[in-house]
Amino acid sequence: MNSIAHIKSNDAKTFEIQSLLNHLKGTAELSAKFASVFNNQEWGKLLGLWHDLGKYSKDFQEYIKVNSGYEEDDQLRPKTDHTSAAAILAKETYPILFWQPIAYSIAGHHAGLLNYTHEQGIAGDLSDRLHKQEFLDKIRAKIPKELLVKTNLNPPIGKAIDPKQMHLWVRMLFSCLVDADYLDTERFMNPESFERRGKYESLIELKGRFDIHMEELSNNAPNTQVNSIRSRILKNCIESGGFSPGFFSITVPTGGGKTLSSMAWALNHALKYNKSRIVFAIPFTSIITQTAQIYRSIFGDNNVIEHHSNIDENTNTLERKLAVENWDAPIIVTTNVQLFESLFANRTSRCRKLHNLVNSIIILDEAQMLPPEFLHPILTTLKGLVDDYGVSVLFSTATQPALTGRIGSKGQFSFEGIAADSVRELVQDIDKLTFDLRRVEIQLPENANETIDWSIIADELQQHEQVLCIVNTRNQCRELHNLMPDDTLHLSRLMCTDHIMDVINEIKQRLKEDKPVKVISTQLIEAGVDIDFPVVYRAIAGLDSIAQCAGRCNREGKLNKENRLGLMKVFVPPKGTPIGLMRKGADTFKEMLINRSNNETALLEPRAFKEYFKLFYSKIDNFDKANIGDSLWKDAPYMKFQFSTAARDFRLIDDKGSKTILVEYGEGSNLIQLLKRKGPEPWLMRKLQRYTVSVNERDFEEIRDAGLIVELHGCWIQEYSKLYNQHSGLQLKGKWLEEINII
């Protein structure tokens, strides 16, 4: 009987079998197709043909037959290692620097890309797998001769590449294999799902939809100066679509229409150079839903895939859920966390989509939010995508960071960013654009080192009918909010995602209806959220934050018609600015103020942002704080990668020491009851992500020790009804302790 790859049970008595040879050939066909886009189809084919050779073993064949019920036996069989044999065969067959990519990919196609050598605390390594010679010896005679014909392998991507990019090449091969393996298995096990994949409109059809939308938007737009400028920006972006692939920037003041203009550029660029898809990466989940909704309204639901941790499961069709797995849709809207952590991941679920980044366009919205502590590995990998995989990258922001030339001034920790002449700007005459889009008067503190009491700020805020105040921490937000009238809205990460989005929608509705609205918020609202206040207050921070907040003030230029500007006031809060990057940003801004006049227009000019970021980066201690370079570049010429270590350490959001609590807000209450009744079913846990709040370990312990939360199925859930306030979110010690004492 032929060796078996998969067994499908149709009912209690009938089975379908996929032969191992058919699975290997089917996977090879798909993997070769995926790898062909970077000139490595022969590598992709070989990986597909060899990835499951270990399944020819007697142990695996018994395991799959008995455990599937195909053969009856009282004793179930343990799982077997079916990935080491082909890794060892690769080392026997191919010379050094050729066998390692094969071994990494095949040995990791279930467990994930392994470290080359052992590291304490991390299970498994490739070197150990390569010593399991018995796994190959047991199956050697069973492998069909046609599978053992030596393949002529070309160099990586058909040319020599920088050693720092070798890990990315291995990841791309690994991605091709993993996606092909999943898809061929799905084709057999679940043909209905397989047939649902790839049903998208082409980018040329989507461009037609976009053009119709933009024409309607233009016809219905009021004849204002702001809309005239947006039209000019759009025209520049369309014309720039013909620029050859590479790095680009779009530097437009907030409210200049970057979301639509950057998409116009991307569609024209994609059609000109036959790009496969457009990936829009955003730093905040509070922005991403708004952006995805804009694009869905233009391109249709199933052509736009929204992929982030707080996705609302109710908005996902089966087709969209399938597309999230491997990003094969034409337009992807995701987060920086999802994009960059995938590029440094080792698990199959995250790496599966990477090959679909080849020949794509990546738009990095709010590029100033790229984390400085990971800037070296991020920019290095972006250069690899551009140089070796046909990717075009667009840095989109009003406050363009200084990412070219030498970055930093801390000796060994400074590094070469993107070549200065390789980033092309899409928009013409940025300085004039900045002047024309001037909509805000910025009031700076007379003394940047003199703090002002919250009570004074609260009194000033109450003098305005519509006002937004943005502060630096959750505690500051709560403290100031407590001094404001009861109808003042609160926004911070002490609120769950669903709550935040409800409040943002309420803010927009009140502004639209010209009703009174006062908001106290942390910085989660300062970038990308489309709101328009006549007055904005901002606790002192970096110049990028100051400018982003200015973009929430007189955004549509309505006050300009009355020959006045919006008002933005910068103040120094009590106790100053918290330590860390936020304080470095504030200190950099203060340093700039000493050397400049208090001219707010000059502070919002592109040259000011360049000056700011140069100065800011000079204060950064390390642009690779997790030592990703040591894991992936140090021994790159010998392909001794520590993939598992890099994946563990590359975390854009440092959640060490933080704890997550499921809270009762809106639908969250019903979902928690379902969790109690049904347990942690995957679909339920995904929905519950929208009803979580993270707190530091000290606050968590106080809440837990007070009996306000209970553990269930490994989750901590709200037990005390007043722990979560429907206006301001999770109540930390001061609030709930006070209420308990009253009761």
Side-chain angles (χ1 to χ4, degrees):
M1 180 179 175
N2 288 334
S3 293
I4 297 170
H6 301 105
I7 296 175
K8 178 169 64 172
S9 174
N10 293 322
D11 54 46
K13 296 181 180 179
T14 64
F15 297 87
E16 288 183 51
I17 291 173
Q18 182 186 36
S19 76
L20 181 51
L21 187 59
N22 281 346
H23 174 55
L24 295 176
K25 288 182 175 180
T27 302
E29 178 187 10
L30 290 170
S31 184
K33 175 186 173 183
F34 298 153
S36 67
V37 295
F38 53 95
N39 299 315
N40 273 170
Q41 56 268 33
E42 75 285 355
W43 288 87
K45 181 178 180 181
L46 177 64
L47 290 173
L49 290 175
W50 280 18
H51 79 287
D52 272 352
L53 290 182
K55 289 186 176 182
Y56 279 109
S57 72
K58 177 183 175 183
D59 288 341
F60 179 84
Q61 291 301 310
E62 285 187 1
Y63 160 78
I64 194 169
K65 291 173 186 175
V66 172
N67 289 29
S68 67
Y70 182 76
E71 288 185 357
E72 294 184 4
D73 197 301
D74 293 336
Q75 187 68 40
L76 293 178
R77 302 296 192 266
K79 287 186 176 181
T80 66
D81 179 344
H82 69 270
T83 62
S84 295
I88 298 166
L89 180 62
K91 189 176 181 182
E92 284 185 3
T93 308
Y94 292 96
I96 192 166
L97 305 186
F98 276 73
W99 64 261
Q100 293 102 319
I102 305 169
Y104 278 119
S105 298
I106 292 178
H109 81 271
H110 284 298
L113 287 166
L114 300 167
N115 280 350
Y116 185 80
T117 56
H118 176 70
E119 185 168 324
Q120 189 172 359
I122 295 180
D125 57 81
L126 186 61
S127 297
D128 178 61
R129 294 285 197 95
L130 295 173
H131 285 97
K132 297 181 177 182
Q133 185 67 38
E134 68 275 12
F135 286 100
L136 176 59
D137 293 341
K138 288 179 181 179
I139 67 167
R140 197 185 298 269
K142 299 177 182 179
I143 301 173
K145 294 293 187 289
E146 63 180 295
L147 299 181
L148 296 176
V149 176
K150 187 174 180 179
T151 301
N152 291 322
L153 298 174
N154 292 321
I157 66 168
K159 67 175 186 178
I161 60 175
D162 184 335
K164 284 188 176 181
Q165 308 299 347
M166 294 297 281
H167 79 96
L168 184 58
W169 173 55
V170 175
R171 290 179 195 282
M172 288 299 183
L173 291 174
F174 179 66
S175 173
C176 293
L177 170 61
V178 168
D179 196 25
D181 185 26
Y182 273 111
L183 289 173
D184 188 72
T185 301
E186 182 180 69
R187 178 160 50 188
F188 170 72
M189 298 293 290
N190 192 352
E192 294 83 7
S193 288
F194 184 81
E195 286 301 317
R196 284 179 177 268
R197 291 186 179 273
K199 310 296 185 185
Y200 312 114
E201 293 177 59
S202 67
L203 284 175
I204 193 167
E205 291 173 305
L206 296 185
K207 183 180 181 299
R209 284 184 175 227
F210 183 82
D211 290 344
I212 291 171
H213 174 83
M214 295 307 292
E215 185 177 357
E216 291 176 350
L217 199 64
S218 176
N219 291 339
N220 295 324
N223 185 20
T224 65
Q225 182 189 23
V226 170
N227 283 331
S228 175
I229 293 169
R230 287 171 179 165
S231 178
R232 194 168 86 215
I233 293 168
L234 176 66
K235 184 173 182 289
N236 284 171
C237 287
I238 292 171
E239 292 170 349
S240 301
F243 292 172
S244 60
F247 283 107
F248 301 89
S249 61
I250 176 172
T251 310
V252 172
T254 52
K258 290 188 299 296
T259 300
L260 292 175
S261 292
S262 60
M263 179 57 74
W265 166 80
L267 287 167
N268 281 275
H269 189 67
L271 295 183
K272 172 76 173 178
Y273 294 101
N274 198 29
K275 300 298 182 187
S276 54
R277 60 189 43 82
I278 299 164
V279 179
F280 204 98
I282 300 172
F284 300 123
T285 52
S286 56
I287 309 172
I288 192 170
T289 301
Q290 170 184 287
T291 303
Q293 285 173 345
I294 291 171
Y295 288 154
R296 279 205 194 102
S297 69
I298 299 170
F299 300 115
D301 280 358
N302 281 346
N303 291 312
V304 178
I305 303 306
E306 188 178 352
H307 188 190
H308 55 92
S309 60
N310 286 317
I311 182 69
D312 184 352
E313 287 292 307
N314 293 325
T315 67
N316 258 357
T317 63
L318 176 58
E319 288 84 356
R320 277 155 62 186
K321 289 177 182 176
L322 293 171
V324 162
E325 297 172 353
N326 66 352
W327 283 13
D328 66 346
I331 297 174
I332 310 292
V333 182
T334 190
T335 58
N336 287 354
V337 170
Q338 182 62 236
L339 173 63
F340 290 116
E341 289 190 3
S342 293
L343 283 164
F344 291 93
N346 72 320
R347 305 301 297 180
T348 56
S349 57
R350 278 207 155 178
C351 291
R352 178 180 177 182
K353 57 182 168 286
L354 294 183
H355 72 93
N356 278 326
L357 291 177
V358 177
N359 201 36
S360 70
I361 295 169
I362 298 176
I363 300 173
L364 296 174
D365 192 36
E366 306 299 351
Q368 79 282 356
M369 297 300 298
L370 291 175
E373 307 101 317
F374 291 98
L375 203 56
H376 192 178
I378 283 175
L379 291 187
T380 300
T381 301
L382 287 175
K383 286 193 282 187
L385 290 173
V386 170
D387 293 343
D388 300 328
Y389 299 97
V391 176
S392 285
V393 173
L394 174 64
F395 299 109
S396 172
T397 177
T399 54
Q400 202 66 243
L403 301 178
T404 60
R406 197 74 184 167
I407 297 177
S409 62
K410 298 283 186 178
Q412 62 175 319
F413 295 120
S414 63
F415 71 102
E416 285 298 322
I418 302 165
D421 60 351
S422 65
V423 181
R424 288 156 290 172
E425 174 61 45
L426 303 185
V427 178
Q428 299 170 8
D429 202 350
I430 301 172
D431 289 334
K432 184 177 186 305
L433 191 65
T434 302
F435 180 81
D436 290 346
L437 271 175
R438 182 171 178 256
R439 291 155 290 171
V440 181
E441 174 189 356
I442 300 179
Q443 285 187 9
L444 298 170
E446 290 185 10
N447 183 345
N449 294 308
E450 184 177 330
T451 62
I452 184 169
D453 289 340
W454 287 127
S455 58
I456 296 174
I457 295 297
D459 287 343
E460 289 189 22
L461 294 175
Q462 291 178 60
Q463 305 308 309
H464 303 284
E465 287 286 294
Q466 295 180 331
V467 62
L468 166 67
C469 181
I470 299 178
V471 295
N472 290 322
T473 70
R474 301 192 297 191
N475 286 338
Q476 289 180 352
C477 189
R478 179 63 55 80
E479 191 171 351
L480 179 56
H481 185 261
N482 287 341
L483 298 174
M484 296 293 292
D486 290 342
D487 63 347
T488 303
L489 299 178
H490 173 280
L491 274 173
S492 82
R493 284 293 171 192
L494 285 173
M495 299 155 63
C496 65
T497 296
D498 236 39
H499 193 175
I500 288 170
M501 296 313 301
D502 283 347
V503 172
I504 289 175
N505 288 334
E506 183 176 352
I507 292 169
K508 290 181 177 181
Q509 190 61 34
R510 289 197 197 180
L511 289 171
K512 182 179 179 181
E513 296 174 1
D514 199 25
K515 292 181 177 179
V517 55
K518 297 176 178 64
V519 181
I520 312 298
S521 177
T522 61
Q523 64 191 100
L524 69 86
I525 202 173
E526 79 180 13
V529 180
D530 188 4
I531 53 175
D532 185 357
F533 280 85
V535 180
V536 173
Y537 278 56
R538 181 59 166 98
I540 197 164
L543 178 60
D544 55 332
S545 289
I546 302 294
Q548 291 294 336
C549 290
R552 309 313 120 199
C553 184
N554 194 24
R555 185 180 182 86
E556 297 299 322
K558 296 174 184 175
L559 299 179
N560 293 48
K561 295 179 181 179
E562 304 169 15
N563 293 318
R564 61 192 182 103
L565 300 175
L567 171 65
M568 179 175 167
K569 180 170 181 175
V570 179
F571 64 94
V572 184
K575 300 180 182 179
T577 310
I579 61 172
L581 290 174
M582 196 172 288
R583 181 173 294 179
K584 287 183 190 294
D587 288 346
T588 303
F589 180 56
K590 291 176 184 179
E591 193 173 333
M592 284 184 66
L593 293 182
I594 294 172
N595 301 321
R596 283 176 159 267
S597 68
N598 285 1
N599 185 315
E600 74 280 359
T601 304
L603 282 174
L604 297 180
E605 289 177 353
R607 65 173 68 94
F609 300 128
K610 188 172 183 179
E611 175 191 342
Y612 167 80
F613 277 105
K614 285 283 186 185
L615 192 57
F616 174 68
Y617 288 151
S618 73
K619 300 178 187 298
I620 302 300
D621 298 323
N622 192 341
F623 294 96
D624 183 14
K625 74 169 187 177
N627 297 318
I628 302 301
D630 286 348
S631 296
L632 300 177
W633 308 332
K634 187 177 179 181
D635 292 320
Y638 309 102
M639 296 233 181
K640 294 182 179 180
F641 304 117
Q642 297 294 92
F643 283 116
S644 299
T645 301
R648 178 197 66 191
D649 295 341
F650 191 94
R651 288 287 181 268
L652 295 194
I653 298 175
D654 185 3
D655 55 3
K656 291 178 182 177
S658 69
K659 300 288 185 179
T660 298
I661 299 171
L662 295 174
V663 298
E664 294 184 346
Y665 174 81
E667 182 63 16
S669 300
N670 295 331
L671 295 175
I672 287 173
Q673 295 306 312
L674 278 175
L675 177 64
K676 291 177 179 178
R677 293 200 305 271
K678 295 191 170 192
E681 297 183 7
W683 68 270
L684 179 57
M685 299 312 294
R686 287 194 295 270
K687 288 178 78 84
L688 278 166
Q689 286 179 333
R690 295 178 63 84
Y691 303 94
T692 62
V693 176
S694 293
V695 295
N696 64 46
E697 206 155 351
R698 179 175 54 82
D699 287 332
F700 171 81
E701 288 172 356
E702 288 180 347
I703 293 170
R704 180 198 60 197
D705 294 346
L708 309 182
I709 54 177
V710 295
E711 188 175 16
L712 181 67
H713 302 301
C715 305
W716 287 94
I717 62 175
Q718 178 182 343
E719 178 74 0
Y720 175 58
S721 62
K722 294 186 178 180
L723 178 62
Y724 192 87
N725 182 281
Q726 301 300 305
H727 298 289
S728 57
L730 196 74
Q731 305 296 289
L732 297 182
K733 184 175 180 179
K735 275 286 184 183
W736 55 255
L737 189 60
E738 185 179 298
E739 289 174 347
I740 288 174
N741 289 337
I742 291 171
I743 292 171

